[in-house]
Amino acid sequence: MTSPPAGAPAGSPAGPPARVETERLLLTAPVEADLAELHALHADPGVWRHLPSGRHTTPEQTRALVDGYRADWAAHGLGPWTVRPRGGGPVLGMGGCSLRHGLAWNVYYRLAPAAWGRGYAQEVVAQARRWAARLRPELPVVAYLLEHNEGSRRAAERAGLVLVHRGPDAGNPDPAAVRLVYADRPVDAALLAAFTA
């Protein structure tokens, strides 16, 4: 781990720095300079093949997403990172944990198709779980995903998360879509209701 890049949020004293290195990846809190690459990621139809309606069609959508993640860093000391190769290079994706509804850490990973199948999601999730447990160990870590997204399901399972809910995906334009919730421990009905309503 090294010090935060200029302009990045510092994280809380107990939380991660805004720059973390894994065996193969460089994870940094998103900054203004990342926006163009993050928009390209979120606008890529291949990234959204499991949820085409989620694809970003304007840079403003990506800015709103990134601003929300930067707010997570400022408020909670942790949020999703921009993911690059450890030696530097183009954006491979985004991933990390955000505090959701004050009830759980929501682990998130969105990688470019060229980065799929290499175990990068597990590296990101491992770091996210590590720091979430350090900051708020009493809160579960959950992954919220679509059943037909096999890659995302495998990433959650390989990260040690267990299926705790399967049901209709509220608000999805596809009425047949099924939403899965994985967690690192048993969760109560209130948490499931907050995540699936």
Side-chain angles (χ1 to χ4, degrees):
M1 287 181 273
T2 57
S3 59
S12 74
R19 178 185 174 101
V20 173
E21 292 183 0
T22 72
E23 181 181 342
R24 298 177 295 166
L25 301 174
L26 172 63
L27 311 177
T28 57
V31 295
E32 184 73 21
D34 296 332
L35 277 172
E37 285 184 279
L38 292 175
H39 176 64
L41 171 76
H42 288 85
D44 181 349
V47 170
W48 295 98
R49 72 177 186 184
H50 303 291
L51 183 63
S53 63
R55 181 176 169 264
H56 290 194
T57 57
T58 68
E60 290 74 27
Q61 288 173 283
T62 308
R63 177 175 291 282
L65 179 79
V66 171
D67 284 351
Y69 291 151
R70 293 176 75 183
D72 288 335
W73 276 95
H76 308 298
L78 184 61
W81 291 286
T82 299
V83 180
R84 298 179 187 275
R86 183 170 177 169
V91 166
L92 299 173
M94 287 197 82
C97 273
S98 295
L99 190 61
R100 190 161 177 196
H101 307 297
L103 298 172
W105 291 105
N106 182 40
V107 67
Y108 158 86
Y109 37 91
R110 186 165 312 286
L111 299 172
W116 294 353
R118 300 184 183 187
Y120 292 152
Q122 282 77 41
E123 286 186 44
V124 174
V125 172
Q127 285 296 318
R129 288 185 68 188
R130 172 186 176 205
W131 291 105
R134 191 166 164 183
L135 284 166
R136 297 283 305 275
E138 75 279 12
L139 297 181
V141 173
V142 303
Y144 176 80
L145 53 103
L146 288 168
E147 185 173 57
H148 64 270
N149 188 340
E150 288 289 335
S152 195
R153 283 173 58 185
R154 285 194 301 271
E157 290 165 358
R158 287 175 183 155
L161 304 180
V162 176
L163 182 66
V164 295
H165 171 82
R166 179 183 185 275
D169 187 30
N172 193 313
D174 177 1
V178 174
R179 182 61 68 173
L180 304 179
V181 179
Y182 284 79
D184 66 349
R185 67 193 77 174
V187 297
D188 61 25
L191 184 146
L192 287 176
F195 272 76
T196 59

